Each structure stands twice: as C-alpha cells, then as structure tokens.
Amino acid sequence: MGGSGSSELLQVLVAAVLTGVATSKLSDGHKYLIINFSRAVLEMMFKFVDIIIWTAPIGVCFAIADAIGSNGLSALGSLGALVGTVYVTIFIFIVVVFGAVCFMFKINPIEFLVAMKEPLIIAYTTATSEAALPKVFDALEKYGVATHISGFVVPFGYSFNLDGSTLYLSLAAVFCAQAAGVHKSVGEQIVMVLMLMISSKGVAGVRSASIIVLASTLDQFDIPSWPVALILGVDWIMDMLRTLTNVMGNCLASVVMAKMENEFRTEEWERERRMLHGEDKVSVIEGKMSYVSAVSGLEEGRN
C-alpha cells in the first residue's frame, strides 16, 4: 500500500515489540543499558516535539494562508465542515454506543455524567487526558467503583480504549484524501480505518498527539501529508471533544467492569458513604460503645 518512501508504520511497530521482548530476556546489566538508552532517546524526542509544537503555529499560519490564497475562503469552509462532522459523529457515538452500554448494564447515564463531570470538564478544557487522570480515580471511587478495578481498567484504557481518537483519525484521514484529490474505494477506506484503529493504540494522552499518528499513517495509503498542516489550525477544537470521549469511555468501562465483577457499590462503600454523609453516626457510636464494653469485660475477666 505504501510507496517506496512510506513510513512502514506496521513494520516499525512489530520491530519495536520484538525488540522489547528480546531486551527482556537479556541479563540485567545489558537490559538496563538498553532501557536507559531508550529513555534518553525518548526524552530527546519529547524535547524535539516541544520545539515543533512551539514553532508549529507559524507554519500553520502560512499553510492556511497559502490554502486560502489558492482556493479562496472555501478552504475555511472545508475545515469547518470537518470540525462539524467530527462533533456530530462523536455526539452520535456517545448517545448510541455509550447509551446502549448504560442500558445493558443498568447505569443511569445522567447520574454517571454528574459524577464524572469534574474529570470530563478537565479533559475537555485541557485537551489532555493525563491532566484528568487523578480526578478520574477520585470520581470513580466516589461513584462506587472499587479502587483495584479502576486502577487496572483506567491505565489500560488510556492506552488501548481511545474511542474519540479513533473516530477523529478516521474522519481526518478521509478529509486529507479528499483535500489531496486522492480517491479511495470503500474497501480501501475500511482498511484505512482498521489501520488507524491499530495505530491509535498507545498514543500519548497529550495535546494533538493524534496528529502524529495521522501523518505517519497517511503515507501507507499513498496520501500526501500536506493536508495535515491545514488540520493543525483547527485541531485543538476537535482535540477537546475527542479527549473528553476517551476519558468518558474509560470511566464507563471501569463502571462496567466493576459491575461484572460485583465490585460496584459494595457494602464497604455504602458504609463509608453513610458515614461521610452523617447517616451512620448512631451506629458508629454504638459500635464504639460496644467495643469499649468488650474491652472492659476482658479487663475485668483478667482481674
């Protein structure tokens, strides 16, 4: 599918997995040498990306100016249509798919959204799921999800349960193909969507991280990557909603898993909730009095 200059993303992913497996089988000395080297390269790449992010607005400004100069204001209309399509598609996905999950597992969607409002607001306003992570754990615990369930599901989902990013990447890839005048059949589009679903796994939970996945995947299907520069100008608008969707999906997955494992709103959680709201003060006092009486009885028995 890719040309001679393609990024060969799948090959890189397979090679990375095999490298990790092989490294795990080395002796400790050699293993930590490779790990430390990889961490140093990773840190260097983060600094490299920081430089690109800080200088990207200048390039985006000229890219949009060139597009408007060449195609007129219709270029802005196309970008607006992309933003609108992403928002409508994700909204339908939330209502239909998340709504169906709530119906199947008897989850009150209004109660769920109210309980998760703080991490969802943080995710939407910051466009980074990492910033919302502490509040996600706190909100799930207050909602009744056992901590060991959320402690497993949420970190796992942050890497592999990225509904919003997958939807966005699919729509953005089609937009880039249309902008570049590249026609793709329905079969090729399905393959492209499946490829993006795989490529989006493990994407970093930071601003505009999906853009990197998009740019590296387009070359696999002989689609020029220059339309990505146009998307950069409005990506932050779409990034907010897809981040919110990612966080919402992981929160919902935690609740579903807790219900399946009978770890949702356990007796211990109910007792703590009543104590927190002052509903169980009498029982607490009675418990303390019975404890004191028992201790006194033991002391009298010893005497």
Side-chain angles (χ1 to χ4, degrees), residues 229-264:
L230 298 177
I231 298 178
L232 274 173
V234 294
D235 179 69
W236 63 275
I237 303 175
M238 298 177 286
D239 196 7
M240 293 190 296
L241 185 61
R242 68 175 181 256
T243 302
L244 179 143
T245 308
N246 292 339
V247 173
M248 185 186 300
N250 288 309
C251 292
L252 185 59
S254 299
V255 177
V256 170
M257 185 61 68
K259 279 180 167 286
M260 293 176 64
E261 296 295 327
N262 295 322
E263 294 289 346
F264 182 70

Side-chain angles (χ1 to χ4, degrees), residues 256-282:
V256 170
M257 185 61 68
K259 279 180 167 286
M260 293 176 64
E261 296 295 327
N262 295 322
E263 294 289 346
F264 182 70
R265 296 185 175 177
T266 59
E267 293 181 0
E268 181 181 357
W269 178 86
E270 290 285 356
R271 185 166 55 252
E272 291 179 354
R273 186 185 66 84
R274 288 196 300 268
M275 291 176 61
L276 183 64
H277 290 82
E279 299 174 6
D280 209 24
K281 289 183 178 179
V282 175

Side-chain angles (χ1 to χ4, degrees), residues 41-59:
V41 174
L42 180 63
E43 186 176 352
M44 182 269 293
M45 290 304 300
F46 279 143
K47 298 297 183 182
F48 182 77
V49 172
D50 284 341
I51 296 173
I52 295 177
I53 290 176
W54 280 106
T55 56
I58 301 174

Side-chain angles (χ1 to χ4, degrees), residues 12-232:
V12 173
L13 291 175
V14 172
V17 171
L18 293 177
T19 301
V21 173
T23 301
S24 66
K25 298 182 179 298
L26 296 177
S27 61
D28 289 343
H30 292 162
K31 180 193 301 183
Y32 290 117
L33 178 64
I34 295 177
I35 291 175
N36 291 332
F37 173 76
S38 301
R39 287 175 177 172
V41 174
L42 180 63
E43 186 176 352
M44 182 269 293
M45 290 304 300
F46 279 143
K47 298 297 183 182
F48 182 77
V49 172
D50 284 341
I51 296 173
I52 295 177
I53 290 176
W54 280 106
T55 56
I58 301 174
V60 170
C61 177
F62 285 105
I64 294 179
D66 177 69
I68 295 175
S70 303
N71 305 312
L73 293 176
S74 60
L76 292 180
S78 300
L79 290 175
L82 173 63
V83 174
T85 303
V86 169
Y87 267 70
V88 171
T89 302
I90 291 181
F91 178 77
I92 294 174
F93 176 83
I94 291 174
V95 172
V96 175
V97 178
F98 288 176
V101 172
C102 290
F103 177 78
M104 290 174 58
F105 291 91
K106 298 179 180 179
I107 301 172
N108 188 328
I110 304 300
E111 182 186 15
F112 171 77
L113 290 176
V114 170
M116 300 298 132
K117 65 179 180 180
E118 189 171 1
L120 292 180
I121 290 174
I122 293 174
Y124 186 81
T125 53
T126 62
T128 166
S129 55
E130 301 294 344
L133 185 58
K135 292 297 182 181
V136 167
F137 287 123
D138 186 45
L140 286 173
E141 184 178 2
K142 291 179 180 178
Y143 189 59
V145 177
T147 54
H148 66 275
I149 295 292
S150 60
F152 172 77
V153 175
V154 173
F156 188 83
Y158 262 48
S159 295
F160 297 100
N161 184 27
L162 305 172
D163 303 317
S165 297
T166 302
L167 290 171
Y168 162 77
L169 287 171
S170 303
L171 295 172
V174 174
F175 171 84
C176 291
Q178 293 177 347
V182 178
H183 175 72
K184 293 293 180 182
S185 64
V186 176
E188 289 176 320
Q189 292 183 33
I190 293 175
V191 173
M192 186 164 58
V193 170
L194 294 176
M195 175 78 77
L196 288 168
M197 288 177 62
I198 298 173
S199 303
S200 64
K201 306 309 176 187
V203 65
V206 296
R207 279 179 175 267
S208 300
S210 298
I211 284 291
I212 300 175
V213 176
L214 176 64
S216 60
T217 306
L218 289 178
D219 200 32
Q220 295 283 328
F221 298 91
D222 296 326
I223 301 175
S225 58
W226 62 261
V228 176
L230 298 177
I231 298 178
L232 274 173

